[in-house]
């Protein structure tokens, strides 16, 4: 029983936050919004300043989360933990290194192959100049356009790109090292989550929803990426486009970029088709990419991604722009998992913020939306939360009356 001499805790029944009730000050909602926006800007600036660290760390975390079901599958069949960890680490290392080597070698081949198309570039420039002269474009503008289409400059650009890719070797080693340590510690994740659940059950459920949504998204995106890469590579090889393997790998990587990934993967092979076969071949390449990539990546895949992660197509596009600005190209690839993590720690942990689900979910609403977190949350958890708050409020009132 609560002593009468003890001060009663604030109940929050008047709609004010407990902290404000203790201080006797009610902060206007507009000021709260401004303070929250200012804090968000400061946090975003801090994240952007250490993007070189956050991006690789989160990439390694996503990879470990994605392969966790495979680890459990081996463990359930009696494999020792060290053997499972060793097999998974070696498999992930092999995939990451294979993609990195394929990209570096292909870019190097492209850099050496571009000068071979100098004659085609000059012919294309002359054709464009003649076409421009028919429409009254002056010689100065034509000369400027010809200089901008200099293939030597394009080759130099790819050369600098190759050096930048080679400079990423240090980050690759960092990611591989993180993968090793995270894989070694993944066996104790269950115990860590159990300790979190004992103190903050909502946080445990939110983190479970994040992990489930991330795995579903990576599974769907990887499957569709492989399909698109194989189809693009075969189509480009049949059309006689050089370095079809490179463009297939590029299509696979850009598939992780929501909504606009296929456009990024289309530009290089289309330009190369223009050089070797003229506008006709470029149009054919564009049509093939539109039929394959646009239909699969922009029409079919977003529906599966939306069902898997519970985010609307609009939210995924806005998240792509935001995380790309914040973390660079790696932020574009990790936009969906980063959004799921932000939603888990800022929205899903607080049942009173269920209205946000109605704005962000693909199903369009709160408890009825089949989001990853709602799939992991026990039935009636929000009702339990409200009941818990009401019970705490009644207890405080009874203590005050006593």
């Amino acid at each position: 029983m609560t002593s009468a001499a003890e001060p009663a805790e604030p109940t929050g029944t008047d709609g004010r936050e407990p902290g404000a009730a203790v201080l006797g000050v009610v902060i206007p909602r507009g000021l709260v919004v401004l303070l929250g926006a200012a804090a968000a800007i400061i946090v975003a600036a801090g994240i952007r300043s250490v993007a070189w660290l956050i991006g690789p760390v989160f990439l390694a975390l996503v990879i470990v989360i994605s392969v966790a079901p495979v680890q459990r599958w081996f463990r359930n069949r009696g494999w020792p933990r060290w053997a499972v960890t060793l097999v998974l680490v070696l498999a992930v290392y092999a995939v990451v290194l294979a993609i990195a080597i394929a990209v570096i070698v292909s870019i190097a081949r492209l850099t050496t192959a571009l000068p071979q198309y100098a004659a085609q570039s000059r012919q294309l420039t002359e054709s464009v100049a003649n076409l421009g002269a028919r429409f009254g474009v002056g010689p100065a503008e034509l000369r400027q356009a010809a200089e901008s289409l200099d293939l030597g400059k394009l080759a130099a650009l790819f050369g600098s790109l190759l050096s930048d890719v080679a400079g990423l070797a240090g980050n690759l080693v960092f990611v591989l090292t993180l993968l090793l340590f995270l894989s070694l510690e993944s066996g104790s994740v269950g115990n860590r989550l159990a300790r979190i659940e004992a103190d903050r059950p909502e946080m445990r459920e939110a983190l479970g929803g994040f992990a489930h949504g991330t795995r579903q998204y990576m599974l769907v995106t990887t499957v569709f990426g492989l399909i698109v890469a194989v189809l693009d590579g075969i189509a480009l090889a049949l059309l006689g486009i050089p370095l079809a393997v490179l463009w297939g790998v590029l299509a696979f990587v850009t598939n992780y970029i929501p909504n606009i990934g296929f456009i990024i993967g289309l530009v290089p092979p289309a330009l190369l088709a223009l050089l070797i076969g003229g506008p006709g071949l470029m149009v054919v390449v564009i049509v093939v990419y539109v039929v394959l990539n646009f239909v699969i990546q922009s029409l079919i895949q977003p529906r599966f991604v939306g069902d898997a992660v519970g985010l609307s197509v609009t939210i995924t596009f806005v998240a792509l722009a935001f995380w790309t600005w914040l973390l660079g190209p790696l932020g574009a690839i990790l936009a969906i998992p980063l959004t799921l993590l932000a939603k888990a720690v800022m929205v899903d942990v607080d049942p009173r913020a269920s209205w946000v689900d109605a704005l962000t979910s693909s199903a369009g609403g709160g408890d009825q939306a089949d989001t990853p977190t709602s799939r992991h949350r026990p039935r009636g958890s929000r009702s339990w939360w409200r009941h818990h708050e009401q019970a705490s409020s009644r207890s405080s009132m009874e203590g005050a009356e006593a």
Side-chain angles (χ1 to χ4, degrees), residues 220-236 244-257 261-263 265-266 288-302:
V220 171
T221 306
T222 301
V223 170
F224 278 98
L226 289 174
I227 295 173
V228 168
V230 172
L231 293 178
D232 286 345
I234 293 175
L236 294 176
V245 175
L246 170 62
W247 311 131
V249 174
L250 180 62
F252 175 76
V253 174
T254 56
N255 188 65
Y256 290 97
I257 302 177
F262 92 96
I263 299 177
L266 166 64
V288 169
Y289 262 71
V290 168
V291 172
L292 295 178
N293 297 48
F294 181 76
V295 172
I296 295 177
Q297 292 180 311
S298 298
L299 297 181
I300 301 177
Q301 181 179 336

Side-chain angles (χ1 to χ4, degrees), residues 358-369:
L359 302 178
T360 61
S361 66
S362 58
D367 290 336
Q368 287 74 26

Side-chain angles (χ1 to χ4, degrees), residues 37-346:
I41 293 174
I42 294 174
V43 171
I47 293 176
R48 194 174 185 184
S49 65
V50 291
W52 61 270
L53 175 63
I54 294 178
V57 169
F58 194 76
L59 174 61
L61 177 63
V62 168
I63 293 175
V64 172
I65 291 175
S66 301
V67 300
V70 181
Q71 187 178 29
R72 287 196 297 268
W73 187 85
F74 280 111
R75 288 285 295 161
N76 292 335
R77 278 152 183 78
W79 283 49
R81 179 176 299 175
W82 65 267
V84 175
T85 301
L86 178 62
V87 171
L88 290 181
V89 168
L90 291 178
V92 172
Y93 276 20
V95 173
V96 173
L97 289 175
I99 295 176
I101 292 174
V103 171
I104 293 176
V105 172
S106 298
I107 292 179
R109 291 181 56 192
L110 179 62
T111 305
T112 57
L114 277 178
Q116 302 176 7
Y117 303 102
Q120 293 91 327
S121 176
R122 286 192 295 269
Q123 293 176 1
L124 178 63
T125 302
E126 293 175 359
S127 300
V128 173
N130 295 332
L131 182 62
R134 294 180 182 178
F135 289 93
V137 181
E141 291 81 0
L142 293 176
R143 190 181 309 108
Q144 183 178 1
E147 291 176 355
S148 63
L149 291 175
D150 186 5
L151 200 62
K153 294 181 180 179
L154 189 59
L157 176 62
F158 277 100
S160 63
L161 178 62
L162 178 61
S163 62
D164 292 338
V165 172
L168 292 176
N171 285 338
L172 182 61
V173 173
F174 181 55
V175 171
L176 294 178
T177 305
L178 282 172
L179 285 173
L180 175 61
F181 289 129
L182 289 175
S183 299
L184 292 175
E185 294 186 357
S186 61
S188 61
V189 171
N191 296 331
R192 298 172 189 268
L193 292 178
R195 294 176 59 184
I196 294 175
E197 185 175 14
D199 184 56
R200 296 286 302 277
E202 291 290 326
M203 178 62 74
R204 166 64 180 85
E205 294 162 8
L207 293 177
F210 157 69
H212 176 80
T214 298
R215 281 193 291 267
Q216 292 293 102
Y217 168 74
M218 295 300 293
L219 175 62
V220 171
T221 306
T222 301
V223 170
F224 278 98
L226 289 174
I227 295 173
V228 168
V230 172
L231 293 178
D232 286 345
I234 293 175
L236 294 176
L238 294 176
L239 292 173
I241 306 298
L243 303 175
V245 175
L246 170 62
W247 311 131
V249 174
L250 180 62
F252 175 76
V253 174
T254 56
N255 188 65
Y256 290 97
I257 302 177
N259 304 115
I260 63 172
F262 92 96
I263 299 177
I264 300 175
L266 166 64
V267 173
L271 291 178
L272 196 57
L274 178 63
L275 291 177
I276 66 175
L281 184 59
M282 181 184 70
V283 171
V284 173
V285 171
I286 293 175
V287 170
V288 169
Y289 262 71
V290 168
V291 172
L292 295 178
N293 297 48
F294 181 76
V295 172
I296 295 177
Q297 292 180 311
S298 298
L299 297 181
I300 301 177
Q301 181 179 336
R303 290 185 172 273
F304 285 90
V305 172
D307 294 338
V309 302
L311 296 176
S312 66
V313 177
T314 303
I315 292 299
T316 59
F317 183 77
V318 174
L320 168 66
F322 174 75
W323 292 113
T324 303
W325 168 78
L326 198 62
L327 298 178
L330 198 55
I333 296 175
L334 300 174
I336 299 300
L338 285 166
T339 304
L340 291 178
L341 179 61
K343 182 174 178 289
V345 299
M346 292 191 297

